[in-house]
Amino acid sequence: MNKTTLQLPPIATLGPFIALLLACLFFATQSERFLSAQNFSLILQQVMVVGVIAIGQSLIILTAGIDLSCGMVMALGSVVMTKFASDYGLPTPAAIACGIAVTTLFGLINGLLVTKVKLPPFIVTLGTLNIAFAATQLYSNSQTVTNIPDGMTLLGNTFKIGDTAIVYGVVLMLALYLLTWFALRETKPGRHVYAVGNNPEATRLTGIATDKVLLSVYVLAGAFYGIASLLSVARTGAGDPNAGQTENLDAITAVVLGGTSLFGGRGIVLGTLVGALIVGVFRNGLTLMGVSSVYQILVTGILVILAVATDQLSRKGAR
Amino acid sequence: MTTHSNAPIVMQAKGLVKRYGQVTALDGADFELRAGEILAVIGDNGAGKSSLIKALSGATIPDQGEVFLDGKSIHFKSPIEARRAGIETVYQDLAVAPAMTIAENLFLGRELRRPGILGSVFQMIDKKKMLEESIARMNDLKVGIRSMNQAVETLSGGQRQCVAVARAAAFAEHVVILDEPTAALGVKEGNMVLELIRRVRDKGLSVILISHNMPHVFEIADRIHIARLGKRAAVVDPKHISMSDTVAVMTGAKSAAELPHQALAH
């Protein structure tokens, strides 16, 4: 009974912030262009697609799952929405809705295979990763869709705060983060996501329909990938069948760097935003330093392993 | 506490049969639980005690036989139905969500929601009220844990078990079923849980305690149900029987008929 009630934030909560600050400090010393409002606005713009994908990924990882298909599903969504608008002349909102419907459908398929057929998420999404990739290539003939209506790139437009141009998509991403963070923290379904990740059997025995929680998480993640599709189209001005390849692993990296445990049930979605920013800062900083992109991939790989190791070690400490 | 030989029967089972393929786990088992008692259920491995408990808590459906709650015949299809009927079960090792707070664990699956549209449409939970209620319920059971806002994983094993038992006690209307609640706990921690189980009984709830720990069983049980070969071998009164005789009945070295009359509980 003499347990201390003083609760220091665990390293998993503060660690990502410290890592982000250290990374910024480092790159500030390496390049004078790094520390500028313009550059930070650019980093935000560069992370907005992966940032929104990573929200969906966070939800899934919180339930102790994983989604390897996220980036490919996003690419399929962007090809679908652009082709529906350019080839079939669908009105922009309808085309966007169709793209989001397709990514949500993929989420539903992932979720049904995980909950009804009881397959491990890793295998399921490895399968849908390939299916989504093939579907994207076949449907687009591996051609980038460039003839897209103006309405579809609205989120890529900018507004100014002082001299700094900020992309609307970034604002959308931040809003989605806040909304998800709030829902996970303050609502009943949100808490059930944590409970399922923490102890699925105990959660089921309290009468919570754990399969329903899991299924809605996968479906919701699919919807987030659809919004990311739209952001990707808005940012690049095209429906790119080869998009999503770096985002696929970057999203998982962002979640893990953000302090969410791969074992489920622990983590804060705002940490994922920090994780996405860490990935973005490294990419941006190394580019400014003139380091080749292969080294950037190398650094990302090392970062993930470091983050998972920290997660594993801090869990052992808590036992 | 004296044996409640005249207390009304809360839960009863007659002639339960459960077969798993060639194996007969329950072979016409009877069971009676009286109001406000701690009934220990003991038995060797394979004696049918866990099958009995599963049938009572809705985790399995018996092939034959009947279960009564307050005199009414009941047919649970899941633990959730049993819970709705006022029977709470604490499963061994499966009780809590470790990274969530004590208050959240107490209310897991029955979260209190904010009043009005915030609760009904937006499903927002009322953290403040859940915290206050948790403090009240834990005080009621005299569980001395300082902060209900700490994660369950920061607690010792005994404290965690206390949280699980307290949750069951706080929401049960009739019966609390505890599966090996003191297993894997040290002496001091085990006693802490035993104390809590007594207080749960003293609140007026009936407790079914499955345990392998004979000293614990003899310390707190009002009556002991001995399961053997899928049947009820005897119900004994721990005040009038020795531990060695109890074990003898459990292992089949002695039959109930060989026991002195006062050793049997009614």
Side-chain angles (χ1 to χ4, degrees), chain B residues 88-90 165 168 176-181 197 207-211:
Chain B
E88 290 281 333
T89 308
V90 176
V165 174
V176 176
I177 301 175
L178 305 171
D179 188 6
E180 297 279 3
I197 296 172
V207 178
I208 303 173
L209 170 74
I210 298 97
S211 184

Side-chain angles (χ1 to χ4, degrees), chain B:
Chain B
M1 268 271 163
T2 53
T3 311
H4 299 251
S5 56
N6 51 0
I9 290 172
V10 175
M11 206 175 185
Q12 190 174 25
K14 283 183 187 164
L16 292 182
V17 175
K18 180 74 192 176
R19 292 188 192 90
Y20 296 97
Q22 295 293 312
V23 182
T24 304
L26 289 176
D27 187 12
D30 297 327
F31 176 85
E32 269 147 33
L33 175 70
R34 293 184 181 279
E37 74 167 347
I38 298 173
L39 176 73
V41 175
I42 63 170
D44 227 340
N45 292 337
K49 65 182 180 309
S50 63
S51 300
L52 173 67
I53 294 314
K54 280 182 184 164
L56 296 176
S57 66
T60 59
I61 302 166
D63 301 330
Q64 284 170 43
E66 273 198 287
V67 180
F68 301 90
L69 184 66
D70 278 339
K72 277 181 249 127
S73 177
I74 46 168
H75 302 276
F76 296 136
K77 287 183 199 69
S78 72
I80 291 140
E81 284 184 19
R83 222 178 64 151
R84 285 200 196 106
I87 300 167
E88 290 281 333
T89 308
V90 176
Y91 301 91
Q92 196 179 356
D93 300 333
L94 286 175
V96 289
M100 300 180 82
T101 69
I102 299 170
E104 283 191 307
N105 266 284
L106 285 177
F107 284 95
L108 195 56
R110 18 189 175 214
E111 292 83 357
L112 302 175
R113 276 185 269 161
R114 298 270 288 263
I117 189 170
L118 287 180
S120 57
V121 177
F122 295 102
Q123 299 268 315
M124 279 179 68
I125 48 174
D126 197 336
K127 287 188 173 173
K128 195 164 155 259
K129 198 165 166 212
M130 274 163 48
L131 185 62
E132 288 167 3
E133 291 257 323
S134 303
I135 293 168
R137 282 166 198 231
M138 294 296 254
N139 280 345
D140 190 29
L141 289 165
K142 299 192 175 61
V143 180
I145 295 173
R146 255 182 248 156
S147 164
M148 294 296 141
N149 265 337
Q150 54 185 319
V152 166
E153 66 196 349
T154 64
L155 301 175
S156 69
Q159 286 175 319
R160 266 186 230 198
Q161 198 57 263
C162 282
V163 169
V165 174
R167 173 171 68 186
F171 292 101
E173 281 158 41
H174 298 285
V175 179
V176 176
I177 301 175
L178 305 171
D179 188 6
E180 297 279 3
T182 57
L185 294 183
V187 175
K188 209 176 141 211
E189 299 258 282
N191 286 336
M192 185 166 94
V193 175
L194 289 186
E195 274 303 312
L196 176 62
I197 296 172
R198 269 201 200 98
R199 286 194 289 269
V200 171
R201 188 246 339 252
D202 294 347
K203 265 183 64 171
L205 289 166
S206 308
V207 178
I208 303 173
L209 170 74
I210 298 97
S211 184
H212 269 109
N213 188 319
M214 283 296 157
H216 283 174
V217 165
F218 270 76
E219 196 182 328
I220 68 164
D222 296 310
R223 297 191 305 148
I224 303 173
H225 171 124
I226 306 173
R228 181 169 160 70
L229 303 176
K231 293 189 175 69
R232 177 170 67 181
V235 180
V236 300
D237 180 347
K239 275 166 215 70
H240 297 108
I241 190 170
S242 67
M243 225 179 268
S244 57
D245 274 353
T246 309
V247 173
V249 176
M250 199 172 102
T251 55
K254 255 186 188 176
S255 77
E258 293 171 62
L259 294 174
H261 180 68
Q262 76 267 22
L264 298 172
H266 299 284

